Structure formats: structure tokens, C-alpha cells
Amino acid sequence: LFPISGFSSKILVLKQEDDSLYNKVADGIKSSIEKEKNIEVIIENCQSNVDLCKDKIEKMRIKSKGFAVVSLGIIPTYAAFEMLGGKKQNPVLFSIVFSPEKLGNLPENFAYFSMMPDPKLILSEFQKRFQVKEIVIPFSRDSAGTVLTIKRSSEELDIRIRDILVSNDSDVRKALGLGKPFWLIPDATVVNSDTINDIYSAASQVPAIGFSEAFAKMGVALSYQIDFEELGKELGRTIVDILKKKIDIRKKKVFFPPVKFIEKQ
């Protein structure tokens, strides 16, 4: 797919912002690639500006046709989508994008690290610790794709997923009031300032899964958190494997981030 042999290449890392999160991921990418003798890593800050991202891509394209991009954030990803979509000589690996489905069908040269961990890993860990047979997942239409992925993963485990479509705070409270173990996914309709007390009250009665350390501090039985330094290293290793043709992103489009588990505190 990508005309890189021998091989010597450049990797352009586009950060959406120059802040601690993006810098941590970018540093992880660079540290995982620095031992590769024939690969140069160039890190650029896009300052949340699509046109600036496009300009940096264009300048790289003038210097080298066969380069790869690691895009961190939705803004540089949109820029890469417009500039490099379908360009076989330019593999693009993106992350820190919370709704990749909104990009539509990905070009053959695009793949991404999800902000959703491997559902099978989360379900297996939860089942092992709490022997649950059924999990309620309240969700809005914006998260339908995430819930479908979870349900597919649950088919290999002895767990029933009871997905409940919600559209307001009252619907969320009804779902939590069923008295069943539940899984909170990053969905603003489900988790917001008006429902948070109801969430913590329900979590005091049944095991639940949260998506950050903050939930563990408030008594949610098991939470997970993306390890962003390790995410950067995984991004680096993966883009190198793509360049070396060990991974074909025409076939494998989604990768899961490394996470750490946090018990209630």
C-alpha cells in the first residue's frame, strides 16, 4: 500500500494544542521511535487551526511525498482527512478523537486509536471481579456506535447487555433505578451535572463501571482510564509497523488504547 522500502521515512505528528495532554502523547510517540535509525519524527502544533494544519501538511508534502502522519485531535484529523484522504503514499493514524464515526467511511490509508478501550477487556475484568450476568448501559443516539461495539464484544462472554436509549435526565434516572450493575460511557446526555448525584447514589447500591479516576473517588466500583503516555508509545510503534508493512490498515482500521483500572477509593 505504501511505497516505503528499505526504508527511510518521515513521520509528521500534528498536535491540536500545545498542552500537557497532547505533549505527553507526542513525547510518547517520539520516545518509541527514537531507536529507529531511518525514521525522522517531526512534531508540529496546529493551535486548533485547520488551515495551519493544512499548511504544515502541504509543506511536508513538498519536502517528501512518502511520509506518514500521526494526528492528535479532531482539528488536525479533519485537515489530514481533506489533504491526504485516499493518498496511498501517506498513511494517517489518528487519536484523541472522541467521535470518529462522524468522519464517515475512512479512506484506505486512515486508521485510528479509539478513545474507547477494548470492551472485551473491560467486560472480562468486571465479570471477574463481580460475577455479573447483566449490565445496563444508558446511552443517547450519539453513542449508538459505541454501544453496538460493546454488545458485539459481550457475545463471547456470559454477560447480557441491556442497552437503554435515553434522551433526558429523567430517562437516565429510570435506567439507573433498575437496580442493575451499569456501565457509564462518555455521553453528555448520561453523565452531566444534573445526573451525577443520581449516578453516585446508584453506584453505592450496585457495581458500576466508570471512565475516569474521578468516578473511583466517588465510589464507583471499577473505573478505567487511558494511559496517555503509553498511548503515545503505542501510536509510535503502530505507525512504524504500518510503514514496515507489518500492519495493513486497509484491513485493520481500529486499535484500542492502553488503560489502567482503578478501584473505588
Side-chain angles (χ1 to χ4, degrees):
L1 178 60
F2 310 114
I4 299 171
S5 59
F7 73 92
S8 176
S9 187
K10 297 179 186 294
I11 297 174
L12 175 62
V13 178
L14 293 173
K15 300 184 300 180
Q16 180 162 305
E17 295 279 359
D18 188 28
D19 69 10
S20 59
L21 171 59
Y22 293 105
N23 289 340
K24 182 179 290 186
V25 178
D27 289 345
I29 294 169
K30 189 171 184 178
S31 70
S32 69
I33 300 176
E34 59 188 4
K35 293 182 181 179
E36 297 285 341
K37 295 180 180 179
N38 299 317
I39 299 179
E40 180 184 359
V41 178
I42 301 99
I43 300 175
E44 296 281 4
N45 173 24
C46 288
Q47 301 175 29
S48 294
N49 186 308
V50 172
D51 290 334
L52 181 58
C53 289
K54 290 181 180 179
D55 182 61
K56 292 181 182 298
I57 292 171
E58 182 59 27
K59 287 179 179 177
M60 179 63 72
R61 190 155 55 182
I62 291 170
K63 294 178 182 178
S64 174
K65 289 186 178 181
F67 64 94
V69 170
V70 179
S71 173
L72 306 178
I74 188 60
I75 291 174
T77 300
Y78 272 130
F81 202 82
E82 291 186 28
M83 298 285 288
L84 301 174
K87 303 291 185 183
K88 295 182 179 181
Q89 70 271 27
N90 303 118
V92 177
L93 185 63
F94 67 88
S95 192
I96 319 184
V97 174
F98 289 90
S99 298
E101 64 276 3
K102 291 184 178 180
L103 291 168
N105 293 327
L106 294 181
E108 64 176 357
N109 60 319
F110 274 61
Y112 68 94
F113 267 82
S114 174
M115 288 292 94
M116 173 72 188
D118 184 350
K120 191 184 297 182
L121 172 65
I122 305 301
L123 290 169
S124 297
E125 190 69 23
F126 196 55
Q127 186 182 51
K128 181 177 70 175
R129 294 179 187 229
F130 302 104
Q131 294 77 52
V132 298
K133 296 293 184 181
E134 182 180 26
I135 299 176
V136 169
I137 304 181
F139 73 102
S140 73
R141 295 191 185 280
D142 289 341
S143 302
T146 297
V147 174
L148 180 59
T149 301
I150 294 172
K151 291 186 74 173
R152 286 172 176 166
S153 298
S154 72
E155 292 173 359
E156 299 179 26
L157 302 168
D158 187 22
I159 299 177
R160 179 193 173 205
I161 299 298
R162 186 171 176 180
D163 52 322
I164 300 177
L165 182 63
V166 300
S167 58
N168 53 52
D169 295 346
S170 178
D171 289 345
V172 175
R173 293 185 183 102
K174 288 178 183 177
L176 297 175
L178 293 172
K180 301 285 187 180
F182 59 92
W183 184 345
L184 299 168
I185 57 177
D187 185 317
T189 302
V190 177
V191 182
N192 58 62
S193 59
D194 293 321
T195 61
I196 198 70
N197 287 333
D198 299 285
I199 288 170
Y200 292 141
S201 177
S204 69
Q205 304 299 317
V206 295
I209 305 171
F211 55 84
S212 78
E213 187 174 2
F215 289 105
K217 291 180 179 178
M218 297 301 291
V220 172
L222 184 67
S223 294
Y224 58 85
Q225 187 161 300
I226 294 174
D227 187 325
F228 285 101
E229 184 175 352
E230 286 301 316
L231 172 62
K233 293 177 182 178
E234 284 292 318
L235 282 162
R237 286 189 283 264
T238 302
I239 196 66
V240 168
D241 283 346
I242 290 168
L243 292 174
K244 290 182 176 181
K245 301 181 182 179
K246 294 180 179 179
I247 295 174
D248 186 347
I249 60 173
R250 292 172 299 183
K251 298 176 181 178
K252 185 171 178 58
K253 310 297 283 183
V254 184
F255 301 86
F256 292 113
V259 297
K260 53 185 177 182
F261 290 104
I262 310 150
E263 296 183 346
K264 66 180 180 180
Q265 300 171 17

